[in-house]
């Protein structure tokens, strides 16, 4: 569809020429966050260019999910500033909704709407948020269902699909809003081993089209294949950030070395 | 040394032919087995079974004798139901119910005007069927009928007189004003930006003027036609006023129950959302309302509605005697409903909120499209429970002088025309039957709704 075309077309141009008004997709400057007394995010500074793919890894409780959830304000940060697509996140609800419209998110537990059919899940936001006529929305919904290779499931309910299929529907649901940035919060962690590949394949094809992606994942194969940068987080801080080859071959920080030795055998 | 094959290996086994299915032994299936497992599985169970059989044997024939065999089915006054007058033992006096049936339905509503009540009953039945029958066509028209035409039509029909006509004139005026506003908006859509979001406005502006705001305009036109028709009809027939003091019987019971049910659900939703709101003032107000109303008996609420409401408003605007308990019952049920719905909201996983928010849905869209449909489905049993409680609680309005169905039965009990030893038992049995059938119907319908929804979406 047209939106997919704009994504593929605009990304490299924006990256190289920086002629668009906002070449930076996401910028986090000195972001800090506390849960009560607990300091979850400590002075996060991160700049993501358009079309860049970031993989974020780290031990559980290191704040990686919290960090990407701050980008679409599912979590509120208390200090510092986050600028998404040229708009700074404040308490202004209108701006938050605007940003959420343009930032897709895929969750660990899919978070599909169980009372709606697959197609209704896909068309809900285009119809109610983008005010698209139902027919057009369904056309777009079917287009993205075909892209994730399950158009035959359109009339079923989420509960009738396998985990891998549900996660692909969740990805398609985000794509229907033609987002500029996609956030993935451990998209394969809740899946059976057999289904991880089908979801990763979908993500790889999305990356190939030039989508700006931030993925929290432990799939190191995926990181090697598509990531422009890999970020390692621990105790709420960014510990190490490098391009994937150097990151895996030659980690610098002790904590990174320990982590990698645990997960790569 | 022999080869290790399945023929001689000690632990290997391959089935050669399939076994045919055999009928089970009598101790597993069949009536005797059923009786043994369900009625006499142990000493305690056996004693309980025998006890139940004893109770059934001693009471049921007696009840059948009283209510059916010895019952009197026809007659015009108490003589038909007196044992020494007809020379046989007398059970229930159904003749009395048949004789006073009209009164039980309409109360003291004037006899020549009762067709008005009948029309409202028919409209109500049509509306209920339309909405509750899943495959009924034109659901949206049904909603409009039930929530707009029916209440207004019922008000005009049941009350009649200058008040109803004034109300109709006022309604038509209001619709006309709305129509003018939307006509202006069609040509200057920018004026609507105060209550419509920019995205939606852009969609409207892209249309030619006559297609802009198509939905509200269609609704207004429909309302105008309907109100006009009602007004013309009311004017032609010339409905005389029937004071609410004369209303009674099942009419009033259904009226209070319907108003209570229709208002308590949306009010309850708003209160439940308010109680879970992050805005402290809204939350506080909701909590105060819910806890206060829930912490007070319904009778107290009714007394307060009856005696205190008139104190707060000027004499000439003092609410009608029937309206006061109507408001009281609706608010009372709303408080309970709010807590039931809050239970459903709390059962919703956080992921559903996050999924909706991440797509850019606003608060009200998220609630209406994602959270409430699921939360309400979870609490259907609780909601219907509240409805049933509300339906039975309508009997309490008698204490503020409203003649509901139960009150009409009690009124006839003191009437000497039908004063017999068995009248009381008959009247109350009839009342019990009426309330049971209504509540049982609600319960069955809710079960069918649950099944239907569960079939649609297995998790």
């Amino acid at each position: 569809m047209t939106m997919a075309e704009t994504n593929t077309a605009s990304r490299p141009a924006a990256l190289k020429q920086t002629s668009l008004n906002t070449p930076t997709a996401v910028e986090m400057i000195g972001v800090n966050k506390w849960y009560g007394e607990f300091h979850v995010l400590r002075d996060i500074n991160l700049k993501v260019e358009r079309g860049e793919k970031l993989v974020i890894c780290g031990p559980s409780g290191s704040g990686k999910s919290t960090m990407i959830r701050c980008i679409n304000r599912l979590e509120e940060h208390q200090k510092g500033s986050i600028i998404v697509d040229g708009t700074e996140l404040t308490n202004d609800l209108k701006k938050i909704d605007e940003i959420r419209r343009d930032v897709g998110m895929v969750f660990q537990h899919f978070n599909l709407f169980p009372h709606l059919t697959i197609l209704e899940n896909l068309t809900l936001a285009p119809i109610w948020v983008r005010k698209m006529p139902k027919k057009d929305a369904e056309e777009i919904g079917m287009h993205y269902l075909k892209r994730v290779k399950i158009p035959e499931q359109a009339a079923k309910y989420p509960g009738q699909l396998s985990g891998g299929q549900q996660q692909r529907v969740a990805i398609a649901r985000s794509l229907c809003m033609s987002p500029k940035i996609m956030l993935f919060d451990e998209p394969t962690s809740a899946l059976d081993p057999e289904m991880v590949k089908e979801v990763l394949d979908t993500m790889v094809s999305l990356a190939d089209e030039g989508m700006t992606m931030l993925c929290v994942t432990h799939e190191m194969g995926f990181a090697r294949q598509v990531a422009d940068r890999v970020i390692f987080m621990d105790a709420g801080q960014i510990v190490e950030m490098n391009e994937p080859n150097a990151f895996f071959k030659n980690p610098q920080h002790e904590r990174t070395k320990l982590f990698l030795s645990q997960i790569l055998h | 040394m022999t080869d290790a094959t399945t023929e001689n290996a000690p632990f290997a086994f391959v089935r050669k032919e399939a076994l045919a299915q055999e009928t089970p032994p009598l101790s597993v299936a069949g009536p005797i087995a059923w009786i043994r497992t369900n009625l006499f599985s142990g000493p305690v169970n056996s004693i309980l079974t025998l006890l139940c059989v004893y109770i059934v044997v001693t009471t049921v024939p007696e009840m059948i004798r009283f209510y059916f065999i010895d019952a009197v089915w026809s007659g015009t006054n108490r003589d038909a139901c007196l044992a020494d007058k007809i020379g046989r033992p007398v059970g229930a006096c159904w003749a009395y119910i048949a004789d006073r049936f009209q009164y039980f339905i309409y109360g003291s509503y004037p006899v020549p005007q009762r067709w008005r009540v009948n029309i409202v009953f028919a409209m109500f039945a049509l509306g209920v069927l339309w909405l509750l029958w899943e495959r009924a066509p034109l659901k949206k028209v049904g909603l409009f009928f039930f929530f707009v035409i029916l209440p207004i039509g019922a008000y005009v029909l049941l009350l009649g007189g200058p008040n109803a006509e004034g109300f109709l004139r006022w309604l038509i005026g209001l619709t006309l004003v709305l129509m003018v506003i939307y006509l202006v908006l069609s040509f200057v859509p920018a004026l609507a930006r105060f209550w419509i979001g920019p995205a939606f406005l852009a969609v409207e502006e892209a249309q030619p003027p006559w297609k802009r705001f198509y939905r509200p305009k269609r609704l207004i036109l429909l309302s105008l036609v309907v109100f006009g028709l009602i007004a013309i009809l009311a004017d032609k027939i010339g409905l005389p006023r029937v004071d609410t003091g004369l209303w009674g019987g099942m009419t009033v019971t259904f009226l209070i129950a319907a108003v209570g049910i229709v208002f308590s659900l949306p009010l309850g939703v708003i209160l439940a959302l308010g109680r879970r709101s992050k805005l402290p003032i809204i939350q506080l107000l909701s909590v105060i309302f819910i806890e206060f109303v829930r912490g007070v008996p319904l009778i107290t609420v009714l007394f307060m509605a009856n005696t205190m409401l008139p104190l707060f408003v000027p004499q000439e605007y003092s609410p009608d005697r029937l309206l006061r308990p109507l408001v009281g019952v609706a608010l009372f049920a709303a408080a309970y409903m709010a807590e039931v719905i809050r239970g459903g909201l709390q059962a919703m996983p956080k992921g559903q909120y996050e999924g909706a928010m991440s797509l850019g849905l606003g608060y009200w869209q998220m609630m209406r499209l994602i959270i409430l449909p699921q939360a309400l489905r979870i609490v259907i049993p609780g909601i219907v429970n509240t409805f049933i409680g509300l339906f039975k609680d309508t009997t309490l309005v008698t204490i503020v002088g409203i003649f509901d169905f139960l009150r009409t039965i009690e009124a006839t009990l003191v009437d000497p025309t039908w004063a017999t030893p068995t009248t009381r038992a008959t009247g109350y049995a009839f009342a019990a039957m009426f309330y049971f059938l209504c509540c049982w119907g609600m319960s069955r319908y809710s079960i069918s709704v649950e099944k239907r929804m569960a079939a649609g979406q297995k998790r």
Side-chain angles (χ1 to χ4, degrees):
Chain A
M1 296 303 298
T2 48
M3 302 327 264
E5 281 161 25
T6 3
N7 272 327
T8 33
S10 68
R11 194 272 303 176
L15 217 170
K16 281 173 191 120
Q17 303 164 5
T18 63
S19 61
L20 285 176
N21 49 354
T22 51
T24 313
V26 181
E27 190 166 10
M28 302 177 94
I29 305 160
V31 173
N32 280 273
K33 176 173 173 60
W34 288 264
Y35 283 131
E37 289 288 299
F38 182 55
H39 199 171
V40 258
L41 291 182
R42 307 181 189 178
D43 192 32
I44 303 285
N45 287 289
L46 181 67
K47 203 168 169 182
V48 186
E49 302 296 325
R50 273 185 200 287
E52 222 185 343
K53 292 124 194 74
L54 253 65
V55 164
I56 301 145
C57 60
S60 67
S62 59
K64 47 196 192 314
S65 286
T66 312
M67 183 178 89
I68 72 162
R69 286 158 60 88
C70 280
I71 294 172
N72 65 353
R73 198 62 164 202
L74 288 184
E75 305 279 355
E76 199 178 326
H77 61 282
Q78 277 96 34
K79 227 174 111 186
S81 57
I82 301 177
I83 299 154
V84 182
D85 199 33
T87 313
E88 185 173 354
L89 274 171
T90 56
N91 278 326
D92 185 352
L93 285 176
K94 257 190 185 159
K95 274 188 184 164
I96 293 173
D97 278 346
E98 246 165 62
I99 285 171
R100 283 176 181 164
R101 250 174 259 164
D102 291 338
V103 178
M105 184 156 200
V106 176
F107 299 87
Q108 181 177 2
H109 295 290
F110 330 134
N111 295 354
L112 294 177
F113 307 129
H115 63 302
L116 301 176
T117 64
I118 300 303
L119 192 59
E120 286 167 346
N121 264 279
L122 296 183
T123 55
L124 184 102
I127 289 175
W128 291 98
V129 179
R130 293 248 188 259
K131 312 289 178 196
M132 206 179 270
K134 196 175 170 207
K135 239 178 76 189
D136 299 2
E138 282 179 349
E139 213 171 280
I140 288 178
M142 283 314 290
H143 168 79
Y144 282 110
L145 265 192
K146 276 180 202 136
R147 260 214 53 183
V148 299
K149 301 191 180 72
I150 33 176
E152 70 281 1
Q153 312 284 5
K156 286 194 184 164
Y157 285 90
Q160 296 167 303
L161 267 56
S162 75
Q165 288 173 328
Q166 289 193 45
Q167 193 60 294
R168 284 187 280 159
V169 171
I171 294 172
R173 180 176 74 177
S174 294
L175 292 179
C176 282
M177 288 294 281
S178 43
K180 295 176 180 150
I181 301 159
M182 285 285 285
L183 309 173
F184 292 85
D185 189 1
E186 305 205 25
T188 56
S189 302
L191 296 177
D192 288 344
E194 282 180 300
M195 295 164 182
V196 170
K197 191 174 172 299
E198 62 187 55
V199 172
L200 286 182
D201 285 349
T202 311
M203 289 168 64
V204 169
S205 81
L206 198 59
D208 289 343
E209 284 182 10
M211 176 67 76
T212 311
M213 291 164 70
L214 280 85
C215 315
V216 173
T217 181
H218 294 131
E219 297 295 332
M220 290 306 147
F222 174 78
R224 280 207 180 91
Q225 192 182 343
V226 305
D228 294 316
R229 272 188 287 168
V230 180
I231 291 176
F232 176 72
M233 284 184 73
D234 185 39
Q237 306 152 71
I238 295 180
V239 172
E240 194 162 344
M241 173 155 60
N242 210 336
E243 55 97 19
N245 262 330
F247 180 86
F248 290 113
K249 289 234 176 71
N250 191 14
Q252 303 293 314
H253 198 278
E254 282 308 312
R255 189 66 189 86
T256 320
K257 285 179 193 165
L258 178 69
F259 180 76
L260 287 177
S261 72
Q262 304 275 7
I263 61 165
L264 303 171
H265 308 289
Chain B
M1 198 161 182
T2 49
D3 292 336
T5 64
T6 48
E7 297 297 318
N8 54 24
F11 302 115
F13 168 75
V14 176
R15 179 164 296 288
K16 293 262 168 55
E17 76 253 47
L19 297 176
Q21 184 173 321
E22 287 178 23
T23 50
L26 267 185
S27 59
V28 178
I32 297 169
W34 187 90
I35 287 171
R36 241 190 24 209
T37 49
N38 290 294
L39 300 180
F40 298 100
S41 62
V44 178
N45 202 346
S46 304
I47 292 170
L48 284 177
T49 303
L50 292 174
L51 193 70
C52 290
V53 168
Y54 174 75
I55 292 171
V56 168
V57 164
T58 47
T59 56
V60 170
E62 192 60 23
M63 279 174 74
I64 290 176
R65 189 194 61 73
F66 184 83
Y67 283 112
F68 295 99
I69 296 169
D70 285 352
V72 175
W73 299 90
S74 58
T76 48
N77 57 36
R78 66 195 290 262
D79 290 347
C81 293
L82 288 175
D84 41 346
K85 286 268 163 57
I86 61 169
R88 67 170 173 94
V90 167
C93 184
W94 296 115
Y96 140 75
I97 300 287
D99 187 48
R100 307 312 311 265
F101 198 65
Q102 296 273 318
Y103 181 65
F104 295 152
I105 295 177
Y106 305 104
S108 308
Y109 209 90
V111 179
Q113 301 295 329
R114 283 183 182 171
W115 58 271
R116 285 155 62 173
V117 184
N118 289 340
I119 290 181
V120 173
F121 271 138
M123 280 168 77
F124 181 70
L126 176 71
V128 167
L129 262 179
W130 204 338
L131 290 189
L132 299 193
W133 186 36
E134 189 205 356
R135 275 167 301 176
L138 298 172
K139 276 275 164 150
K140 279 187 183 162
V141 185
L143 279 173
F144 182 73
F145 175 79
F146 194 84
F147 290 103
V148 178
I149 300 178
L150 179 60
I152 294 170
Y155 176 75
V156 171
L157 268 172
L158 290 179
L159 190 65
N163 269 21
E165 281 161 22
F167 174 67
L168 262 179
R169 267 198 296 277
W170 182 82
L171 263 182
I172 292 173
L174 183 78
T175 340
L176 278 172
V177 169
L178 270 175
M179 201 155 149
V180 170
I181 290 176
Y182 270 93
L183 262 177
V184 173
L185 279 180
S186 298
F187 293 98
V188 199
L191 287 174
R193 69 173 182 276
F194 298 110
W195 67 91
I196 297 182
F200 197 81
L201 205 59
V203 174
E204 296 290 357
E205 272 176 340
Q207 309 263 3
W210 57 91
K211 275 194 176 168
R212 282 176 192 154
F213 305 104
Y214 179 63
R215 279 187 176 180
K217 281 199 297 200
R218 200 176 49 176
L219 197 69
I220 289 169
L221 203 65
L222 189 62
S223 318
L224 196 65
V225 169
V226 169
F227 298 155
L229 278 178
I230 296 178
I232 290 168
L233 274 176
D235 189 50
K236 279 269 177 296
I237 303 164
L239 298 170
R241 183 184 164 90
V242 178
D243 238 358
T244 52
L246 296 173
W247 303 12
M250 291 181 196
T251 315
V252 161
T253 293
F254 280 129
L255 180 75
I256 297 172
V259 169
I261 285 172
V262 166
F263 279 94
S264 67
L265 191 59
L267 257 177
V269 168
I270 289 169
L271 283 170
L273 292 179
R275 190 164 187 171
R276 284 172 60 82
S277 166
K278 284 194 187 111
L279 308 171
I281 293 175
I282 290 178
Q283 193 195 13
L284 186 71
L285 288 178
S286 308
V287 170
I288 289 175
F289 179 87
I290 292 170
E291 294 302 337
F292 178 72
V293 174
R294 247 180 5 145
V296 171
L298 177 57
I299 294 188
T300 317
V301 173
L302 290 176
F303 272 137
M304 281 170 64
N306 205 33
T307 55
M308 286 171 69
L309 216 57
L311 296 182
F312 295 134
V313 287
Q315 186 74 50
E316 60 268 35
Y317 295 117
S318 171
D320 181 86
R321 255 182 69 253
L322 182 62
L323 186 66
R324 294 174 211 165
L326 270 182
V327 172
V329 167
L331 293 184
F332 188 78
Y336 278 87
M337 195 59 76
E339 287 300 278
V340 169
I341 292 166
R342 192 166 67 95
L345 290 175
Q346 264 162 356
M348 291 302 297
K350 209 172 149 225
Q352 290 293 308
Y353 290 90
E354 290 180 350
M357 283 194 287
S358 75
L359 289 170
L361 262 66
Y363 175 82
W364 290 108
Q365 286 180 333
M366 170 173 78
M367 284 301 167
R368 191 160 64 86
L369 301 167
I370 309 298
I371 306 299
L372 281 174
Q374 297 184 65
L376 291 181
R377 187 177 78 93
I378 299 173
V379 292
I380 286 175
I383 290 175
V384 175
N385 198 25
T386 312
F387 283 167
I388 288 177
L390 172 107
F391 186 77
K392 293 185 296 183
D393 280 352
T394 56
T395 51
L396 289 174
V397 298
T398 51
I399 59 141
V400 289
I402 307 295
F403 269 68
D404 79 314
F405 171 60
L406 194 64
R407 184 78 186 85
T408 55
I409 286 194
E410 291 197 317
T412 55
L413 291 180
V414 295
D415 176 6
T417 322
W418 284 100
T420 74
T422 59
T423 308
R424 191 164 288 270
T426 314
Y428 286 139
F430 179 63
M433 236 158 55
F434 167 76
Y435 284 109
F436 175 75
L437 279 180
C438 290
C439 296
W440 190 63
M442 282 193 252
S443 156
R444 296 309 300 177
Y445 180 73
S446 90
I447 289 174
S448 82
V449 169
E450 276 173 59
K451 274 191 186 150
R452 191 169 78 211
M453 291 186 147
Q457 33 162 320
K458 285 166 271 172
R459 291 218 192 202

